[in-house]
Amino acid sequence: MGRVAKFLLAFLCINIWLQATEALRFQFGVQTAKAHDFLRVHNNARKQIGLPPLEWDEKLAEFARHYVNLRAASGCGMIHSNGPYGENIFWGGGKQLWGGRFAVQSWSHEKKFYNHKTNSCIPGQMCGHYTQIVWKDTKRVGCARAACTNGGGQLIICNYDPPGNWLGEKPY
């Protein structure tokens, strides 16, 4: 076998190995989305209103990984864990790889539906994801992503501690 053929074979093997590794990592919940992908958008939203940044918390990320994998294995229903933390859930359909930045940006865009003066959402709109992101007492966040086992897209979950969105309280 010539040098070019050996090089091409080695290149092909490495490429197949990298794709298989990435597929396994995604399948088993070890996501390529890094903490900074989630943190940057969370902290930009908080900075806009003068709040301190959140810190990444591996305990919260592990809670999110466990729950997102559970939900992904059962059809990806957007059902809250009712755990001890605040929680935002994002679902993205199709074969596209939905990233942490996109999910947090979609929640952050709810800012336009939040009326701080009345501490309420514009009727017919959601803003609770946004208010959880900017909850003044929240200090830590951890997130995870998983592919739906039914081929129905991906689920991303972020957990927050201390939790927010307490009835009658303003987020900031």
Side-chain angles (χ1 to χ4, degrees):
M1 189 180 306
R3 280 196 306 178
V4 172
K6 286 180 183 178
F7 172 79
L8 289 174
L9 181 59
F11 177 78
L12 182 61
C13 288
I14 290 170
N15 192 27
I16 290 170
W17 177 80
L18 287 172
Q19 289 176 7
T21 301
E22 183 61 25
L24 285 172
R25 288 180 55 161
F26 189 77
Q27 179 181 351
F28 292 105
V30 182
Q31 307 309 325
T32 57
K34 305 280 187 247
H36 66 84
D37 291 339
F38 291 101
L39 277 176
R40 183 179 304 137
V41 184
H42 274 95
N43 290 334
N44 283 342
R46 293 175 65 85
K47 184 178 179 181
Q48 288 176 9
I49 55 171
L51 292 174
L54 297 176
E55 293 181 10
W56 186 260
D57 186 292
E58 194 52 41
K59 179 180 172 187
L60 293 172
E62 182 56 37
F63 186 89
R65 271 191 292 278
H66 172 75
Y67 192 65
V68 80
N69 286 327
L70 182 69
R71 297 301 325 140
S74 61
C76 271
M78 292 179 60
I79 301 168
H80 283 279
S81 68
N82 295 317
Y85 308 115
E87 189 168 71
N88 281 342
I89 302 175
F90 170 88
W91 174 82
K95 303 236 184 253
Q96 178 177 338
L97 289 178
W98 298 95
R101 278 183 249 158
F102 186 88
V104 181
Q105 283 172 343
S106 74
W107 300 326
S108 295
H109 284 139
E110 292 178 4
K111 177 181 183 178
K112 64 186 171 193
F113 303 127
Y114 177 66
N115 183 327
H116 189 263
K117 191 179 288 185
T118 63
N119 191 32
S120 62
C121 301
I122 292 173
Q125 300 295 328
M126 291 181 68
C127 66
H129 300 102
Y130 169 72
T131 56
Q132 176 59 79
I133 289 171
V134 296
W135 198 262
K136 66 181 175 276
D137 296 329
T138 298
K139 307 289 184 232
R140 295 168 294 285
V141 64
C143 307
R145 177 182 70 187
C148 305
T149 58
N150 64 1
Q154 295 166 43
L155 206 56
I156 295 173
I157 295 178
C158 288
N159 289 109
Y160 303 85
D161 190 47
N165 285 341
W166 297 111
L167 194 60
E169 291 185 32
K170 287 188 174 185
Y172 55 91

